[in-house]
Amino acid sequence: MNKETKLAAKPAKPKVISVRMDAAFFFERAVQSMDRFHYDKALKYFRRAAEYEPENPVNHCNMAGILSELGNYEESNRILHNILAEIDPTMTECYFYMANNYANMEHFEAAERELIRYLERDEEGQYLEEAEEMMEYLSFELERPAKKAVIKSRQGLNEHDRARALLEEGKFGEAVRVLEKLIEQHTDFMAARNNLALAYYYMGYFEKSIEAIHTVLEMEPGNLHALCNLAIFYQHMDRKDELAELTYLLKKTYPFHQEHVFKLATTMGILGEHETAYRHFRRLLKDGEAYGDPSLHHYTAVAACNIGRYDDAARHWLQTQKLDPQSEIPRFFMSQLQKIRLEETKCPLNYHYHLPFEEQFQLLERSKDGIPDHMKRDPLVRSSFFWALRHGDHETKLQVIQALGMLADGEVKDALRAFILEPDEDEYLKKVAIFVLRTIGMKEPIHAHLEGKPTVVHAMTLSPNLPVWEEQWQSVMEMALSKMDKRYDMVQQHDLQTLWVEYLSRVYPNVPKVGKKEGWAAALEYLTAKMHRRTISYHEVATIYGASITTISKYVKLMDEACGIREKMEAIFRKFNEKL
């Protein structure tokens, strides 16, 4: 009994939980308070964050924003002025915030002064539209015309708008040309430099893109767009230490401007920081205008799905489908969500508002009319094609070359011309690309790197062993290609042309007389189908071409004897079976 009493009287060992009290801790508390509209608490936490990191302008700016929300405009302006004078004079948006505060205090002269400073010093023009509206309001209140201001962000703005439109249309090569010229004229145009980095990235030129980003950050270390882009590059290059440090910084950032919030949200999603992405996407959806954007609901749904909030994800994808009823995208992701619920597949899902690459090709295969218009206009679809052309495996590149042949515009021609000049690319792929270029209307000589050296491919330069090209040979090939159109893909059509040229080269100059082109064309299709393991019969091609089975089989035998087609096919099948 005494022993028990003694044990009971012994004081319990206190449990101590260590909490790291740093700027990030107070920043996160501030954000949580803001999400709950507890502005007094948010202000208290932002003050503590600023005390821990006095040189970080973001915490001070957040503090000024909260004070403005609370109506304490003078204190807000004092902090904004201190940011510009003592911490970071490049944060030109502070002039706009001060102008807004002065306008709320009805100090219209002071508001006009700060607004002019903003317009004359801000390079990106992130609040340009709002500033112009405010200037009209101030002019009305002051009962006089507004003072003239040289708007720095408008210098080259028209060309920049054109470049952005080109990026949105997926015309990346043209956008690069416009942006490079614009930067030559306006070296400190940060928005143009950021978009140039993106254009390089979409085209698959990683080294050029990261060089462009580093240039931006050397000129403006706190540029949010550049920091977000850099983080994505670090992830792509598997530079884990640099990525971890930069991600930590971005997670602490709480931008107010919608464009910056969207950029940060999508970046956090790509980096796998789905909780942070979800929080920022929800902030954007609180805006009435943004609520009608189907892609924003898709991004929110992906973030929700990736953190296990499946009901929220379903709700946002249903809203996406309602806002974009013609799109395949919400239906595809709803089906993926069902599989995730049944544990048939796993997250995370991709944030891009387009179908995954494999689904795009399946959609193309199901389509009888080529690439649907919405896919042609989608810059992310186009960028995925250009990306895969530079970084995909052999089979993917072959599929992409065919898909680009269906797009058939100037951007495609530029991409394929660049591809065939690459010394390390596969020879067969380059020859298919040349065939596609010819098919989509390129008649002029084509510069390529073939057989280890720079080569100019003329329209009739089909084989070094074939010094002439007869019109009757051309007519056979054209008949076969015209009959095969829509039934065979571009790779198969290319292989038919290659087969015909190879046969003529091997038997030249003793080429049999081409009397019945229908029989030769039918024989070419028959052999091409067999090479690609397609089911076909002599009766079928005889019906299509209006030639006799006897004639077709005769020409098939001639070509097989000259080119050894059956032996090649047997060798391929043996190799295939060995892999199995």
Side-chain angles (χ1 to χ4, degrees):
M1 191 71 165
N2 292 335
K3 187 177 180 181
E4 289 177 6
T5 305
K6 187 176 180 181
L7 287 173
K10 189 175 180 180
K13 215 173 184 181
K15 294 182 179 179
V16 179
I17 300 172
S18 175
V19 178
R20 187 178 175 184
M21 310 284 275
D22 58 6
F25 171 82
F26 289 111
F27 176 87
E28 287 167 10
R29 289 295 179 91
V31 169
Q32 290 170 8
S33 298
M34 282 192 67
D35 286 342
R36 295 168 186 152
F37 303 102
H38 298 161
Y39 292 121
D40 288 337
K41 284 187 177 181
L43 178 61
K44 180 179 73 173
Y45 289 130
F46 276 134
R47 283 193 194 279
R48 293 301 304 275
E51 287 171 9
Y52 275 93
E53 289 184 353
E55 300 303 315
N56 185 344
V58 173
N59 290 323
H60 294 274
C61 205
N62 287 334
M63 206 159 46
I66 295 290
L67 287 165
S68 184
E69 287 287 336
L70 294 170
N72 195 342
Y73 304 118
E74 289 183 0
E75 179 65 9
S76 175
N77 273 358
R78 186 191 65 76
I79 292 171
L80 292 167
H81 183 271
N82 185 63
I83 291 170
L84 291 165
E86 304 293 337
I87 302 173
D88 187 355
T90 67
M91 286 191 72
T92 50
E93 60 266 39
C94 292
Y95 293 113
F96 175 78
Y97 300 147
M98 284 195 286
N100 198 54
N101 284 338
Y102 279 128
N104 284 323
M105 289 189 287
E106 299 187 0
H107 296 172
F108 301 122
E109 294 281 356
E112 183 186 51
R113 181 189 69 235
E114 299 305 328
L115 205 54
I116 288 171
R117 285 177 178 169
Y118 168 73
L119 292 170
E120 291 182 341
R121 300 182 191 188
D122 184 72
E123 295 174 349
E124 296 193 16
Q126 66 184 67
Y127 293 119
L128 181 57
E129 202 173 313
E130 294 90 336
E132 289 177 334
E133 287 178 7
M134 191 189 295
M135 196 64 89
E136 287 182 18
Y137 165 72
L138 294 175
S139 176
F140 173 78
E141 291 291 346
L142 291 167
E143 298 181 350
R144 61 169 173 77
K147 292 179 181 177
K148 297 290 182 184
V150 177
I151 302 175
K152 189 167 188 177
S153 61
R154 280 230 188 268
Q155 297 170 1
L157 197 60
N158 291 337
E159 282 299 285
H160 185 239
D161 286 344
R162 180 174 159 236
R164 287 180 66 176
L166 290 168
L167 283 175
E168 288 169 5
E169 293 168 15
K171 297 178 180 177
F172 307 117
E174 197 174 341
V176 164
R177 288 189 286 274
V178 172
L179 290 165
E180 286 177 340
K181 185 177 179 182
L182 185 56
I183 288 166
E184 281 179 17
Q185 297 168 346
H186 307 284
T187 56
D188 57 351
F189 201 156
M190 294 297 108
R193 288 185 179 277
N194 274 323
N195 280 320
L196 179 61
L198 277 178
Y200 287 145
Y201 180 74
Y202 289 145
M203 294 174 75
Y205 295 120
F206 301 132
E207 293 303 323
K208 278 189 168 184
S209 185
I210 202 162
E211 184 181 335
I213 293 170
H214 279 308
T215 302
V216 172
L217 292 173
E218 284 168 12
M219 299 172 73
E220 192 177 292
N223 189 288
L224 183 62
H225 280 270
L227 289 170
C228 288
N229 290 339
L230 184 61
I232 292 167
F233 279 110
Y234 281 158
Q235 184 185 58
H236 175 80
M237 294 183 291
D238 201 28
R239 289 166 61 171
K240 294 178 181 175
D241 292 340
E242 293 102 320
L243 176 60
E245 186 178 344
L246 186 49
T247 302
Y248 176 75
L249 172 67
L250 291 172
K251 284 178 72 174
K252 294 194 302 177
T253 304
Y254 199 87
F256 285 98
H257 192 275
Q258 279 207 333
E259 183 183 347
H260 287 174
V261 177
F262 180 75
K263 180 69 177 180
L264 185 58
T266 52
T267 301
M268 289 292 100
I270 292 167
L271 298 179
E273 299 291 340
H274 305 299
E275 286 277 4
T276 306
Y278 182 65
R279 186 176 72 239
H280 286 306
F281 283 131
R282 287 192 65 197
R283 284 180 61 203
L284 289 167
L285 284 174
K286 288 177 183 177
D287 181 274
E289 187 176 342
Y291 192 82
D293 183 352
S295 61
L296 186 54
H297 283 279
H298 166 74
Y299 302 138
T300 311
V302 172
C305 183
N306 288 343
I307 59 175
R309 303 184 68 145
Y310 301 139
D311 290 341
D312 284 352
R315 181 165 51 84
H316 285 294
W317 271 315
L318 285 172
Q319 186 65 19
T320 305
Q321 191 168 338
K322 181 179 176 183
L323 294 168
D324 194 2
Q326 303 303 316
S327 175
E328 293 281 338
I329 299 167
R331 284 186 281 275
F332 169 78
F333 279 95
M334 285 289 282
S335 69
Q336 291 298 106
L337 177 61
Q338 185 64 22
K339 290 178 181 178
I340 291 167
R341 285 183 187 271
L342 297 172
E343 297 185 352
E344 293 178 5
T345 188
K346 293 181 179 179
C347 286
L349 297 177
N350 193 297
Y351 280 83
H352 291 313
Y353 190 54
H354 64 63
L355 295 175
F357 196 70
E358 297 78 8
E359 287 292 319
Q360 292 173 28
F361 278 118
Q362 288 178 22
L363 189 63
L364 292 181
E365 288 170 2
R366 293 195 296 268
S367 173
K368 296 180 180 178
D369 302 315
I371 295 182
D373 286 341
H374 74 274
M375 289 182 72
K376 287 183 179 180
R377 294 192 299 268
D378 190 334
L380 289 171
V381 171
R382 296 171 67 92
S383 71
S384 67
F385 287 161
F386 294 138
W387 180 295
L389 182 63
R390 295 189 61 79
H391 304 285
D393 58 25
H394 183 278
E395 186 61 30
T396 300
K397 288 180 179 181
L398 199 55
Q399 289 179 304
V400 165
I401 291 168
Q402 295 180 76
L404 292 175
M406 288 185 265
L407 287 176
D409 57 23
E411 196 80 14
V412 164
K413 291 178 182 178
D414 288 346
L416 292 178
R417 277 194 295 239
F419 178 78
I420 61 179
L421 286 169
E422 291 290 338
D424 298 329
E425 288 293 352
D426 181 82
E427 289 275 315
Y428 176 73
L429 292 177
K430 287 191 277 192
K431 288 175 181 176
V432 175
I434 291 169
F435 175 77
V436 169
L437 284 168
R438 291 292 184 218
T439 303
I440 62 180
M442 242 188 114
K443 299 190 183 335
E444 63 268 27
I446 297 174
H447 293 267
H449 197 282
L450 296 170
E451 298 178 359
K453 62 182 185 296
T455 306
V456 178
V457 183
H458 296 278
M460 291 293 104
T461 306
L462 296 167
S463 168
N465 301 320
L466 200 64
V468 296
W469 183 253
E470 301 288 347
E471 187 177 336
Q472 57 186 336
W473 303 340
Q474 180 70 21
S475 66
V476 169
M477 188 169 69
E478 286 178 356
M479 171 175 276
L481 292 174
S482 67
K483 295 284 187 182
M484 291 168 69
D485 190 34
K486 306 293 184 186
R487 295 187 297 117
Y488 289 76
D489 62 33
M490 285 193 177
V491 170
Q492 292 160 350
Q493 292 178 46
H494 164 266
D495 288 349
L496 177 139
Q497 176 181 276
T498 303
L499 172 61
W500 185 227
V501 172
E502 182 184 355
Y503 169 68
L504 295 172
S505 300
R506 284 179 182 272
V507 299
Y508 186 83
N510 301 313
V511 179
K513 184 179 178 182
V514 180
K516 296 180 179 179
K517 64 180 181 181
E518 294 82 3
W520 286 104
L524 281 169
E525 177 176 336
Y526 180 85
L527 285 169
T528 302
K530 289 294 183 183
M531 286 192 298
H532 285 273
R533 305 178 73 183
R534 289 180 57 149
T535 304
I536 197 166
S537 67
Y538 281 120
H539 181 268
E540 185 179 344
V541 289
T543 304
I544 292 170
Y545 288 88
S548 70
I549 292 175
T550 304
T551 301
I552 297 168
S553 62
K554 174 186 171 184
Y555 294 156
V556 165
K557 185 177 179 182
L558 286 173
M559 283 191 274
D560 183 28
E561 288 174 350
C563 302
I565 296 166
R566 291 184 189 279
E567 290 178 12
K568 290 177 184 176
M569 288 166 57
E570 286 170 5
I572 291 170
F573 293 155
R574 277 199 304 272
K575 195 171 181 182
F576 177 75
N577 290 328
E578 284 170 8
K579 286 183 179 179
L580 293 177

